[in-house]
Amino acid sequence: MVRRALFAAATLALISSAAVAQDTVKIGLILPMTGQQASTGKQIDAAVKLYVAQHGNLVAGKKIEVILKDDTSVPDVTKRLAQELVVNDKVAILAGFGLTPSALATAPIATQAKVPEVVMAAGTSTITEASPFVVRTSFTLAQSSVPMAEWAFKNGIKKVVTMVSDFGPGIDAEKSFSEKFKADGGTIIESLRVPLRSPDFAPVLQKAADAKPDALFVFVPSGAGAQFVKQFVERGLDKSGIKLIATGDVTDDDQLNGMGDVVVGVINAHNYSANHDSALNKAYVDAFKKANNGLRPNFMSVGGYDGMHLIYEALKKTNGNTDGEKLVAAMKGLAWESPRGPISIDPETRDIIQNIYIRKVDKVGGELYNVEFATIPNVRDPVKAAKK
Ligand code: DHB
């Protein structure tokens, strides 16, 4: 009797744990939580936690479980973690990806396992083409670089030196800015690149100064802007008459306040400002700061927040079905209001369509912000648009 009762109890425990497993949707969140890209990991992790805290962890009758892994932004580590999350943890969705090489390294796993890969940070145009399971909630560099080039030429800038981090998004920024600027009639005097890891900007800044352009166009990834600005000032470029123009990755909300007044007046183009004027964004910034000791959310954070929204809404559409193909199909064409403004997922490319804002760094209530003054609505990735 005792033995039979024990057996029954054990069977029940087995059945119920299987039921729990089925009723739980696991999301493998791979982010750089340490190392050079740690601010990206911190911002996205905080945004994902905020989204779950605000919307609950039950969607379409399923319990959401986020498993966070630190890839230290090393692509081989990202790939191994993705494999383990799929095989051992049986995650239904992979998400995060602080750097392009990490997103690209994971794409073959997403394809083989038929698991959606929600790219919340990386911005190289080709990532969405690396697997039919990639869906992006961040941005592409061409999205911000083309409007920046257009604004620059229209506003009297005729000669530019470009300076970018030497990897996927930097090369996209350089190429898309230069093509647009030249097509409008401008001249690119020089195209300079700096290494992604441990960059020393001094030699390229010297070259830029010597070339005497009207403006220096810059892309460095999130987290590297403050160091760039410091060296820009140390080399005296702030007093050289050469204007600084950039993608908003440089005047990153995560670091902007620490850059000092030398960045006041810097014109840049991007998808999100903590200063974006909407009721939804004000509530987002307040809630984010409250949950994170006053940390200001940056553009990476909204990639994470919207990535969670994408996953929640897709699960609602599939009625909790976690089949990867069904989830990706449900994600295509979704549209909603983000703290950054209206966004949607292009059903053809699985890439994000969003407003790009031209902004000027300014003091607001004693703090530095990217203040939006012009909007280019519903921008598709220009690189993909050009291929059509
Ligand atoms: C990428 C990373 C960044 O931090 C950024 O600001 C833009 C692009 C990337 O690796 O794609």
Side-chain angles (χ1 to χ4, degrees):
M1 269 304 283
V2 173
R3 199 180 255 183
R4 196 176 286 171
L6 267 180
F7 179 74
T11 313
L12 242 184
L14 267 179
I15 291 169
S16 63
S17 77
V20 167
Q22 271 177 11
D23 283 345
T24 301
V25 176
K26 291 184 187 172
I27 301 168
L29 181 64
I30 311 178
L31 292 169
M33 299 307 294
T34 51
Q36 205 174 284
Q37 258 61 47
S39 65
T40 295
K42 187 176 178 181
Q43 287 273 347
I44 293 180
D45 177 39
V48 166
K49 288 196 167 86
L50 178 63
Y51 191 89
V52 175
Q54 289 175 335
H55 297 84
N57 64 353
L58 273 180
V59 187
K62 303 265 172 144
K63 188 175 166 246
I64 302 294
E65 183 187 336
V66 178
I67 305 173
L68 174 66
K69 299 282 180 189
D70 176 12
D71 68 0
T72 68
S73 80
V74 175
D76 285 346
V77 177
T78 319
K79 187 171 184 177
R80 177 175 55 75
L81 291 171
Q83 227 147 9
E84 287 171 6
L85 284 162
V86 167
V87 175
N88 301 341
D89 297 293
K90 312 256 183 302
V91 299
I93 294 154
L94 291 164
F97 312 105
L99 282 181
T100 286
S102 295
L104 289 175
T106 304
I109 294 169
T111 304
Q112 277 164 26
K114 298 190 192 299
V115 164
E117 175 181 342
V118 177
V119 175
M120 296 170 159
T124 301
S125 186
T126 53
I127 293 171
T128 44
E129 289 157 15
S131 165
F133 288 88
V134 170
V135 183
R136 174 156 39 202
T137 56
S138 48
F139 50 84
T140 74
L141 269 300
Q143 273 181 327
S144 47
S145 302
V146 171
M148 188 65 255
E150 185 170 0
W151 186 92
F153 190 76
K154 273 195 189 139
N155 286 274
I157 293 169
K158 304 290 177 238
K159 290 182 293 174
V160 165
V161 169
T162 63
M163 195 215 83
V164 301
S165 285
D166 193 4
F167 75 125
I171 291 156
D172 276 4
E174 175 192 289
K175 191 162 182 282
S176 55
F177 180 93
S178 302
E179 281 176 7
K180 175 64 179 160
F181 193 65
K182 286 192 279 190
D184 286 357
T187 306
I188 302 292
I189 305 177
E190 218 169 338
S191 306
L192 304 169
R193 295 180 183 177
V194 279
L196 170 64
R197 309 281 173 194
S198 314
D200 178 10
F201 300 106
V204 286
L205 283 171
Q206 191 55 53
K207 276 192 192 166
D210 293 345
K212 296 190 174 36
D214 299 328
L216 175 65
F217 168 74
V218 179
F219 161 79
V220 293
S222 187
Q227 197 198 341
F228 163 75
V229 167
K230 187 168 167 276
Q231 294 197 7
F232 185 84
V233 175
E234 279 169 6
R235 292 265 129 190
L237 267 88
D238 57 322
K239 298 189 180 65
S240 67
I242 300 170
K243 287 194 184 73
L244 177 59
I245 56 176
T247 65
D249 308 73
V250 178
T251 55
D252 184 350
D253 269 306
D254 190 82
Q255 297 188 321
L256 187 59
N257 252 329
M259 291 182 190
D261 287 357
V262 356
V263 286
V264 168
V266 171
I267 307 288
N268 65 91
H270 220 214
N271 59 344
Y272 177 70
S273 166
N275 187 245
H276 178 67
D277 189 13
S278 73
L280 184 68
N281 186 48
K282 285 194 174 69
Y284 175 70
V285 173
D286 285 350
F288 190 98
K289 283 185 168 174
K290 212 169 155 196
N292 296 284
N293 282 323
L295 179 71
R296 187 195 285 186
N298 74 354
F299 62 99
M300 290 302 187
S301 83
V302 290
Y305 194 75
D306 290 322
M308 286 306 283
H309 185 78
L310 177 76
I311 292 168
Y312 272 46
E313 292 307 306
L315 280 167
K316 286 182 197 168
K317 272 174 82 177
T318 65
N319 238 331
N321 189 327
T322 54
D323 175 83
E325 275 162 358
K326 289 199 169 74
L327 280 175
V328 170
M331 288 174 180
K332 290 179 180 178
L334 278 177
W336 67 98
E337 189 192 346
S338 154
R340 63 186 114 170
I343 65 174
S344 66
I345 301 299
D346 188 332
E348 280 177 46
T349 63
R350 292 163 277 102
D351 218 336
I352 188 166
I353 302 174
Q354 61 191 331
N355 292 350
I356 295 297
Y357 307 91
I358 311 292
R359 309 100 55 90
K360 182 178 181 175
V361 178
D362 214 343
K363 273 241 160 95
V364 182
E367 290 188 43
L368 293 173
Y369 280 101
N370 291 292
V371 179
E372 297 166 351
F373 64 87
T375 304
I376 300 98
N378 304 322
V379 179
R380 289 184 148 78
D381 175 32
V383 176
K384 289 184 198 79
K387 279 185 193 165
K388 277 192 186 168

